[in-house]
Amino acid sequence: MAAKSKGAPNLYGSFIHSAPGAFLASKLGLPQPAELRRYKAGEPALPGPVLLGGKGRLAEPVRALLSDYTVADSLDSGTKYGALVFDATGIDSIDKLAQLFEFFQPAMRNLAPSGRVVVLGTTPELVGSVDEQIAQRALEGFTRSVAKELLRGATGQLVYVHPEAGTAATGLESTLRFLLSAKSAFVDGQVIRVGKNESVAPASWDKPLDGKVAVVTGAARGIGATIAEVFARDGATVIVADIPAAGEALSATANKIGATALALDVTAPDAAERLADFAVERFGGIDIVVHNAGITRDKLLANMDEGRWNSVINVNLAAPHRITSGLVAKGVLKEGGRVIDVSSIAGIAGNRGQTNYGASKAGVIGMVDAESPVLAEKGITINAVAPGFIETAMTAAIPLGTREAGRLMSSLLQGGQTVDVAETIAYFASPASNAVSGNVVRVCGQSLIGA
Ligand code: NAD
């Protein structure tokens, strides 16, 4: 089980779930956040069967990939579905967009709480004709809008699959399984691109990281500690790293999950070397590196000193770049390796008082864009998560009003948990995600910020 995050009390959430709060909410039409269904070992992936529609190239492969799900082909008005999955790859003209309406409109009221909508398309930039490119691009606006209409913790995503993906579309499986599960609870309104590589399913989808060595920086507390826990749950051997001053908390994280602790300031000039030597000596190398360590030093630019600027750029951007380059150059990050960066919605939308942080987290997205094709030559993927409002010590320090607004400003009307970010990172880390590179997935409950 992942750690409970130690965020500040969610005043609005507690109030709205109390008897007087619920009464007032229904009278005044106030938004009511749903309790999100989250992963528990042994529970079914979805709260109901999958309704599968569409007649493109992916419907049949998807049916085969979901052999352990209950899949229906036609809508039964008395059934609540765990997911509505539509293969829109056959939509190659504007006229055919009507297929979206025909499938989804009658089924919208039949989605269970915490249900999933997944639309599958073909990467628009890579299709053959102008008409098809227009129609495929339209899927994005459709899916993001559907996601905004869904209620009771349900979410909606679009997956673009490379047009040259094999006929079995095995590269899609890890993405599909992540989206069609409680692990993607706080991922909403996202577009994920899947490449053409074939994938091999892990021996167990409950232990996909078996035999892998993973490093998580900034793992003494918060999101990093939960990433380490989820990795250990998924079977990885975990190295948790943090600054020497966080030694006590780091040991606690390590002891809890049987990880190995490494006191490491990621900004140290020899950080990559120390990490490489440590990992090679103990475990023979590294398969997964998560650059989670991050800091904020907020000030309006007019009042900012050089120290605040430099420290944020160094920890959040320069260090991950230097460490990835070092590990790859030394061959310590192995063939088939995974690099996962932590950006932020502040790096997409910008944020007042965060010119340093916004620059660093947008730079992280640039790192994913630039390094993805280069690392692909070595069979290494690189992706990032961009968390929105996550309940941690970092967000507990935000003033009350802004904090409540941050929670409510998403389609799911609440903040996320550290485990939501960790599950998304674990999806990228999976060996079965070898066709997934160059993505930035927001874990923000479809926050309006930067949408
Ligand atoms: P946190 O402050 O709780 O934890 C960050 C950890 O990084 C700490 O343990 C800290 O000691 C460590 N760290 C800082 N500088 C380091 C260095 N030089 N070397 C090694 N470790 C270092 O923060 P969090 O909320 O868990 O955030 C984790 C990541 O998620 C950060 O990159 C942050 O920018 C990002 N993020 C968080 C949120 C949120 O809502 N909490 C939103 C968007 C992005």
Side-chain angles (χ1 to χ4, degrees):
M1 271 291 291
K4 264 205 148 127
S5 39
K6 300 181 209 79
N10 180 349
L11 297 181
Y12 183 80
S14 321
F15 170 70
I16 221 74
H17 284 121
S18 68
F23 175 77
L24 252 186
S26 69
K27 289 284 170 226
L28 300 176
L30 293 176
Q32 300 196 51
E35 192 175 328
L36 305 183
R37 191 170 175 270
R38 290 194 167 84
Y39 173 81
K40 287 200 186 80
E43 286 196 356
L46 288 172
V50 176
L51 180 65
L52 177 63
K55 291 196 178 60
R57 66 192 162 104
L58 295 174
E60 286 320 306
V62 163
R63 190 188 306 282
L65 295 176
L66 298 181
S67 59
D68 52 346
Y69 287 65
T70 307
V71 178
D73 291 311
S74 55
L75 178 67
D76 166 34
S77 58
T79 300
K80 289 286 182 199
Y81 293 92
L84 309 175
V85 178
F86 188 77
D87 173 14
T89 57
I91 297 181
D92 55 9
S93 66
I94 295 170
D95 285 355
K96 290 186 188 164
L97 286 168
Q99 291 176 15
L100 294 171
F101 178 83
E102 286 155 18
F103 175 77
F104 282 105
Q105 196 284 329
M108 285 296 282
R109 292 184 201 284
N110 286 70
L111 193 60
S114 288
R116 301 282 181 262
V117 163
V118 175
V119 177
L120 301 168
T122 301
T123 321
E125 312 84 79
L126 303 178
V127 300
S129 80
V130 169
D131 281 11
E132 187 176 1
Q133 182 168 352
I134 294 169
Q136 288 297 316
R137 183 62 181 76
L139 301 179
E140 197 170 319
F142 173 78
T143 313
R144 289 190 201 273
S145 301
V146 165
K148 290 189 174 175
E149 292 185 10
L150 295 174
L151 301 170
R152 297 181 296 277
T155 60
Q157 339 282 346
L158 170 63
V159 184
Y160 280 132
V161 181
H162 196 290
E164 291 159 28
T167 48
T170 52
L172 172 61
E173 184 167 9
S174 68
T175 302
L176 208 53
R177 284 184 180 268
F178 170 64
L179 296 178
L180 297 179
S181 80
K183 292 181 176 177
S184 56
F186 202 61
V187 176
D188 196 11
Q190 295 307 289
V191 181
I192 299 179
R193 285 173 155 74
V194 173
K196 59 182 171 184
N197 292 354
E198 298 285 347
S199 303
V200 177
S204 159
W205 284 103
D206 283 328
K207 294 272 177 212
L209 303 184
D210 246 350
K212 300 294 176 191
V213 178
V215 178
V216 183
T217 68
R221 65 175 201 186
I223 294 172
T226 311
I227 298 166
E229 271 189 60
V230 168
F231 277 5
R233 178 201 72 190
D234 284 356
T237 298
V238 186
I239 300 171
V240 288
D242 210 302
I243 46 172
E248 213 171 300
L250 186 66
S251 301
T253 304
N255 291 340
K256 196 168 160 197
I257 58 168
T260 308
L262 171 65
L264 181 78
D265 181 337
V266 293
T267 63
D270 62 348
E273 200 140 51
R274 282 196 50 218
L275 180 55
D277 291 348
F278 184 84
V280 168
E281 190 185 310
R282 306 271 180 124
F283 308 110
I286 296 172
D287 299 292
I288 301 158
V289 56
V290 182
H291 298 295
N292 164 78
I295 58 169
T296 51
R297 296 287 183 270
D298 299 356
K299 273 280 178 205
L300 293 178
L301 185 55
N303 302 329
M304 191 174 297
D305 55 87
E306 211 181 12
R308 281 174 198 265
W309 177 270
N310 288 338
S311 57
V312 170
I313 298 289
N314 282 338
V315 176
N316 298 1
L317 182 59
H321 183 46
R322 202 166 40 233
I323 291 175
T324 302
S325 305
L327 295 179
V328 171
K330 287 171 185 297
V332 172
L333 189 64
K334 297 182 207 156
E335 165 88 28
R338 302 278 179 270
V339 181
I340 300 135
D341 293 310
V342 180
S343 178
S344 164
I345 55 172
I348 296 169
N351 202 16
R352 192 178 139 84
Q354 289 197 317
T355 47
N356 49 358
Y357 187 76
S360 72
K361 294 298 187 179
V364 164
I365 296 174
M367 213 152 64
V368 170
D369 291 345
E371 290 175 4
S372 171
V374 179
L375 294 177
E377 290 166 20
K378 298 183 190 302
I380 299 170
T381 67
I382 177 167
N383 295 281
V385 289
F389 187 99
I390 305 296
E391 306 287 353
T392 62
M394 196 185 251
T395 46
I398 298 172
L400 178 72
T402 318
R403 195 164 70 222
E404 288 297 334
R407 287 175 174 137
L408 288 177
M409 224 185 282
S410 72
S411 294
L412 295 173
L413 302 169
Q414 58 195 292
Q417 301 293 327
T418 55
V419 72
D420 300 324
V421 181
E423 298 283 17
T424 310
I425 289 175
Y427 144 63
F428 285 140
S430 169
S433 293
N434 59 318
V436 181
S437 191
N439 283 276
V440 178
V441 169
R442 295 168 49 145
V443 185
C444 66
Q446 200 175 29
S447 171
L448 289 176
I449 299 171

